[in-house]
């Protein structure tokens, strides 16, 4: 099993920055992909960014160069640096991890990000 714990959410003004962290524990060696998803009230959960074990990355279209995902394998921690935040970025942000063999997905409990205008 893998446990994911997010931190770093909070309230920030539009144009500001936040850095989210996701600490993984347990059988972390089995994880090959980690990422961030978000869900705003009344909307479906959407992909923010993912990063593979070889540090390849992909982002949701709405990111447009504002966010950067990274991981520190030695610390079993993933980060999401969010800059130029907009009110529409307000959502609960979830840490995600995937094991491919056998396939299994893990989720954190979520951390609230609120961007005021």
């Amino acid at each position: 099993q893998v446990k994911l714990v997010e931190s770093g959410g909070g309230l920030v003004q539009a144009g500001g920055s936040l850095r989210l962290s996701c600490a993984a524990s347990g059988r972390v060696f089995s994880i090959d992909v980690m990422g961030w998803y978000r869900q705003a009230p009344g909307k479906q959960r959407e992909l923010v960014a993912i990063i593979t074990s070889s540090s390849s990355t992909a982002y949701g279209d709405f990111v447009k160069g504002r966010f950067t995902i990274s991981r520190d394998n030695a610390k079993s921690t993933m980060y999401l640096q969010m800059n130029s935040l907009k009110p529409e970025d307000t959502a609960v942000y979830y840490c995600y991890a995937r094991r491919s063999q056998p396939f299994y997905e893990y989720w954190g409990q979520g951390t609230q990000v609120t961007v005021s205008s």
Side-chain angles (χ1 to χ4, degrees), residues 2-6 22-23 35-36 45 92-97 105-111:
V2 173
K3 182 178 180 181
L4 304 173
V5 179
E6 302 101 333
C22 174
W36 294 93
R45 191 171 295 190
V92 177
Y93 284 69
Y94 295 92
C95 178
Y96 164 86
E105 295 179 311
Y106 303 92
W107 294 93
Q109 79 286 355
T111 185

mmCIF file of all heavy atoms in Angstrom, residues 2-6 22-23 35-36 45 92-97 105-111:
data_model
loop_
_atom_site.group_PDB
_atom_site.id
_atom_site.type_symbol
_atom_site.label_atom_id
_atom_site.label_comp_id
_atom_site.label_asym_id
_atom_site.label_seq_id
_atom_site.Cartn_x
_atom_site.Cartn_y
_atom_site.Cartn_z
ATOM 1 N N VAL A 2 0.294 2.319 -0.489
ATOM 2 C CA VAL A 2 0.962 3.622 -0.526
ATOM 3 C C VAL A 2 0.038 4.654 0.106
ATOM 4 O O VAL A 2 -1.149 4.690 -0.170
ATOM 5 C CB VAL A 2 1.289 4.033 -1.975
ATOM 6 C CG1 VAL A 2 1.818 5.459 -2.018
ATOM 7 C CG2 VAL A 2 2.294 3.068 -2.598
ATOM 8 N N LYS A 3 0.608 5.476 0.952
ATOM 9 C CA LYS A 3 -0.156 6.572 1.554
ATOM 10 C C LYS A 3 0.364 7.892 1.017
ATOM 11 O O LYS A 3 1.583 8.092 0.931
ATOM 12 C CB LYS A 3 -0.035 6.550 3.073
ATOM 13 C CG LYS A 3 -0.843 7.630 3.773
ATOM 14 C CD LYS A 3 -0.713 7.536 5.287
ATOM 15 C CE LYS A 3 -1.525 8.609 5.989
ATOM 16 N NZ LYS A 3 -1.386 8.530 7.462
ATOM 17 N N LEU A 4 -0.554 8.782 0.665
ATOM 18 C CA LEU A 4 -0.191 10.087 0.126
ATOM 19 C C LEU A 4 -0.762 11.173 1.031
ATOM 20 O O LEU A 4 -1.945 11.154 1.360
ATOM 21 C CB LEU A 4 -0.769 10.247 -1.285
ATOM 22 C CG LEU A 4 -0.381 9.174 -2.306
ATOM 23 C CD1 LEU A 4 -1.157 9.372 -3.607
ATOM 24 C CD2 LEU A 4 1.110 9.195 -2.566
ATOM 25 N N VAL A 5 0.082 12.111 1.398
ATOM 26 C CA VAL A 5 -0.356 13.203 2.271
ATOM 27 C C VAL A 5 0.036 14.536 1.638
ATOM 28 O O VAL A 5 1.230 14.809 1.438
ATOM 29 C CB VAL A 5 0.261 13.084 3.671
ATOM 30 C CG1 VAL A 5 -0.190 14.257 4.542
ATOM 31 C CG2 VAL A 5 -0.132 11.768 4.318
ATOM 32 N N GLU A 6 -0.971 15.349 1.341
ATOM 33 C CA GLU A 6 -0.717 16.658 0.730
ATOM 34 C C GLU A 6 -0.550 17.723 1.806
ATOM 35 O O GLU A 6 -1.093 17.614 2.906
ATOM 36 C CB GLU A 6 -1.875 17.084 -0.173
ATOM 37 C CG GLU A 6 -2.208 16.142 -1.304
ATOM 38 C CD GLU A 6 -3.400 15.287 -0.996
ATOM 39 O OE1 GLU A 6 -3.661 15.026 0.194
ATOM 40 O OE2 GLU A 6 -4.101 14.868 -1.952
ATOM 41 N N CYS A 22 3.431 16.656 -1.735
ATOM 42 C CA CYS A 22 2.773 15.376 -1.531
ATOM 43 C C CYS A 22 3.841 14.387 -1.072
ATOM 44 O O CYS A 22 4.738 14.053 -1.841
ATOM 45 C CB CYS A 22 2.105 14.888 -2.793
ATOM 46 S SG CYS A 22 1.409 13.216 -2.663
ATOM 47 N N ALA A 23 3.718 13.954 0.173
ATOM 48 C CA ALA A 23 4.655 12.993 0.729
ATOM 49 C C ALA A 23 4.069 11.596 0.590
ATOM 50 O O ALA A 23 2.944 11.337 1.044
ATOM 51 C CB ALA A 23 4.940 13.318 2.191
ATOM 52 N N GLY A 35 1.080 12.528 -9.735
ATOM 53 C CA GLY A 35 0.491 13.712 -10.355
ATOM 54 C C GLY A 35 -0.428 14.452 -9.420
ATOM 55 O O GLY A 35 -0.597 14.081 -8.251
ATOM 56 N N TRP A 36 -0.988 15.523 -9.963
ATOM 57 C CA TRP A 36 -1.951 16.348 -9.252
ATOM 58 C C TRP A 36 -3.229 16.463 -10.079
ATOM 59 O O TRP A 36 -3.169 16.698 -11.291
ATOM 60 C CB TRP A 36 -1.388 17.749 -9.000
ATOM 61 C CG TRP A 36 -0.230 17.776 -8.070
ATOM 62 C CD1 TRP A 36 1.092 17.728 -8.390
ATOM 63 C CD2 TRP A 36 -0.292 17.840 -6.634
ATOM 64 N NE1 TRP A 36 1.858 17.770 -7.261
ATOM 65 C CE2 TRP A 36 1.040 17.836 -6.166
ATOM 66 C CE3 TRP A 36 -1.326 17.911 -5.708
ATOM 67 C CZ2 TRP A 36 1.361 17.904 -4.795
ATOM 68 C CZ3 TRP A 36 -1.014 17.974 -4.363
ATOM 69 C CH2 TRP A 36 0.311 17.969 -3.920
ATOM 70 N N ARG A 45 -13.429 16.254 -11.602
ATOM 71 C CA ARG A 45 -12.002 16.270 -11.287
ATOM 72 C C ARG A 45 -11.220 16.327 -12.589
ATOM 73 O O ARG A 45 -11.546 15.626 -13.559
ATOM 74 C CB ARG A 45 -11.634 15.033 -10.483
ATOM 75 C CG ARG A 45 -10.248 15.060 -9.884
ATOM 76 C CD ARG A 45 -10.032 13.901 -8.925
ATOM 77 N NE ARG A 45 -10.905 13.977 -7.753
ATOM 78 C CZ ARG A 45 -10.759 13.185 -6.688
ATOM 79 N NH1 ARG A 45 -9.804 12.268 -6.655
ATOM 80 N NH2 ARG A 45 -11.593 13.306 -5.671
ATOM 81 N N VAL A 92 -10.080 21.922 -4.723
ATOM 82 C CA VAL A 92 -9.355 20.974 -3.876
ATOM 83 C C VAL A 92 -8.356 20.248 -4.781
ATOM 84 O O VAL A 92 -8.735 19.725 -5.831
ATOM 85 C CB VAL A 92 -10.301 19.967 -3.197
ATOM 86 C CG1 VAL A 92 -9.494 18.957 -2.379
ATOM 87 C CG2 VAL A 92 -11.298 20.693 -2.309
ATOM 88 N N TYR A 93 -7.111 20.247 -4.384
ATOM 89 C CA TYR A 93 -6.048 19.629 -5.168
ATOM 90 C C TYR A 93 -5.690 18.286 -4.533
ATOM 91 O O TYR A 93 -5.421 18.204 -3.325
ATOM 92 C CB TYR A 93 -4.832 20.541 -5.223
ATOM 93 C CG TYR A 93 -5.028 21.698 -6.179
ATOM 94 C CD1 TYR A 93 -5.934 22.710 -5.893
ATOM 95 C CD2 TYR A 93 -4.325 21.761 -7.383
ATOM 96 C CE1 TYR A 93 -6.134 23.764 -6.774
ATOM 97 C CE2 TYR A 93 -4.514 22.815 -8.268
ATOM 98 C CZ TYR A 93 -5.415 23.806 -7.967
ATOM 99 O OH TYR A 93 -5.609 24.845 -8.839
ATOM 100 N N TYR A 94 -5.689 17.251 -5.361
ATOM 101 C CA TYR A 94 -5.444 15.894 -4.897
ATOM 102 C C TYR A 94 -4.131 15.365 -5.459
ATOM 103 O O TYR A 94 -3.853 15.496 -6.657
ATOM 104 C CB TYR A 94 -6.568 14.966 -5.347
ATOM 105 C CG TYR A 94 -7.913 15.282 -4.744
ATOM 106 C CD1 TYR A 94 -8.801 16.130 -5.378
ATOM 107 C CD2 TYR A 94 -8.286 14.723 -3.521
ATOM 108 C CE1 TYR A 94 -10.039 16.426 -4.827
ATOM 109 C CE2 TYR A 94 -9.528 15.010 -2.959
ATOM 110 C CZ TYR A 94 -10.381 15.864 -3.615
ATOM 111 O OH TYR A 94 -11.604 16.152 -3.067
ATOM 112 N N CYS A 95 -3.391 14.733 -4.601
ATOM 113 C CA CYS A 95 -2.181 14.010 -5.013
ATOM 114 C C CYS A 95 -2.603 12.636 -5.541
ATOM 115 O O CYS A 95 -3.502 11.998 -4.976
ATOM 116 C CB CYS A 95 -1.256 13.874 -3.814
ATOM 117 S SG CYS A 95 0.255 12.958 -4.145
ATOM 118 N N TYR A 96 -1.925 12.197 -6.576
ATOM 119 C CA TYR A 96 -2.256 10.943 -7.256
ATOM 120 C C TYR A 96 -0.974 10.152 -7.494
ATOM 121 O O TYR A 96 0.080 10.720 -7.800
ATOM 122 C CB TYR A 96 -2.914 11.277 -8.585
ATOM 123 C CG TYR A 96 -3.002 10.154 -9.588
ATOM 124 C CD1 TYR A 96 -4.069 9.266 -9.559
ATOM 125 C CD2 TYR A 96 -2.035 9.989 -10.574
ATOM 126 C CE1 TYR A 96 -4.174 8.243 -10.477
ATOM 127 C CE2 TYR A 96 -2.125 8.973 -11.501
ATOM 128 C CZ TYR A 96 -3.201 8.110 -11.452
ATOM 129 O OH TYR A 96 -3.299 7.096 -12.363
ATOM 130 N N ALA A 97 -1.084 8.845 -7.337
ATOM 131 C CA ALA A 97 0.043 7.967 -7.657
ATOM 132 C C ALA A 97 -0.491 6.717 -8.333
ATOM 133 O O ALA A 97 -1.586 6.246 -8.003
ATOM 134 C CB ALA A 97 0.826 7.607 -6.397
ATOM 135 N N GLU A 105 -4.351 2.632 -8.401
ATOM 136 C CA GLU A 105 -4.254 4.083 -8.237
ATOM 137 C C GLU A 105 -4.457 4.461 -6.781
ATOM 138 O O GLU A 105 -5.325 3.897 -6.106
ATOM 139 C CB GLU A 105 -5.294 4.791 -9.106
ATOM 140 C CG GLU A 105 -5.073 4.598 -10.598
ATOM 141 C CD GLU A 105 -6.129 5.274 -11.437
ATOM 142 O OE1 GLU A 105 -7.326 5.082 -11.135
ATOM 143 O OE2 GLU A 105 -5.771 5.992 -12.394
ATOM 144 N N TYR A 106 -3.686 5.429 -6.345
ATOM 145 C CA TYR A 106 -3.772 5.932 -4.977
ATOM 146 C C TYR A 106 -4.102 7.417 -5.018
ATOM 147 O O TYR A 106 -3.661 8.146 -5.908
ATOM 148 C CB TYR A 106 -2.440 5.743 -4.241
ATOM 149 C CG TYR A 106 -1.945 4.326 -4.189
ATOM 150 C CD1 TYR A 106 -1.084 3.828 -5.165
ATOM 151 C CD2 TYR A 106 -2.335 3.465 -3.150
ATOM 152 C CE1 TYR A 106 -0.621 2.528 -5.108
ATOM 153 C CE2 TYR A 106 -1.869 2.161 -3.093
ATOM 154 C CZ TYR A 106 -1.029 1.708 -4.078
ATOM 155 O OH TYR A 106 -0.562 0.419 -4.013
ATOM 156 N N TRP A 107 -4.836 7.863 -4.000
ATOM 157 C CA TRP A 107 -5.221 9.273 -3.896
ATOM 158 C C TRP A 107 -4.953 9.794 -2.491
ATOM 159 O O TRP A 107 -5.131 9.074 -1.510
ATOM 160 C CB TRP A 107 -6.709 9.452 -4.199
ATOM 161 C CG TRP A 107 -7.064 9.139 -5.615
ATOM 162 C CD1 TRP A 107 -7.485 7.947 -6.110
ATOM 163 C CD2 TRP A 107 -7.036 10.048 -6.722
ATOM 164 N NE1 TRP A 107 -7.710 8.050 -7.467
ATOM 165 C CE2 TRP A 107 -7.452 9.328 -7.867
ATOM 166 C CE3 TRP A 107 -6.706 11.386 -6.854
ATOM 167 C CZ2 TRP A 107 -7.525 9.913 -9.130
ATOM 168 C CZ3 TRP A 107 -6.783 11.973 -8.111
ATOM 169 C CH2 TRP A 107 -7.202 11.241 -9.237
ATOM 170 N N GLY A 108 -4.554 11.060 -2.414
ATOM 171 C CA GLY A 108 -4.453 11.722 -1.137
ATOM 172 C C GLY A 108 -5.810 12.245 -0.712
ATOM 173 O O GLY A 108 -6.801 12.113 -1.441
ATOM 174 N N GLN A 109 -5.841 12.885 0.445
ATOM 175 C CA GLN A 109 -7.104 13.344 0.987
ATOM 176 C C GLN A 109 -7.508 14.708 0.418
ATOM 177 O O GLN A 109 -8.651 15.130 0.559
ATOM 178 C CB GLN A 109 -7.041 13.441 2.523
ATOM 179 C CG GLN A 109 -6.347 14.692 3.068
ATOM 180 C CD GLN A 109 -4.840 14.667 2.916
ATOM 181 O OE1 GLN A 109 -4.246 13.687 2.481
ATOM 182 N NE2 GLN A 109 -4.191 15.772 3.286
ATOM 183 N N GLY A 110 -6.585 15.380 -0.230
ATOM 184 C CA GLY A 110 -6.869 16.668 -0.852
ATOM 185 C C GLY A 110 -6.463 17.846 0.021
ATOM 186 O O GLY A 110 -6.478 17.759 1.249
ATOM 187 N N THR A 111 -6.103 18.932 -0.636
ATOM 188 C CA THR A 111 -5.783 20.168 0.071
ATOM 189 C C THR A 111 -6.462 21.325 -0.672
ATOM 190 O O THR A 111 -6.434 21.390 -1.903
ATOM 191 C CB THR A 111 -4.262 20.382 0.175
ATOM 192 O OG1 THR A 111 -3.990 21.542 0.976
ATOM 193 C CG2 THR A 111 -3.596 20.553 -1.187
#
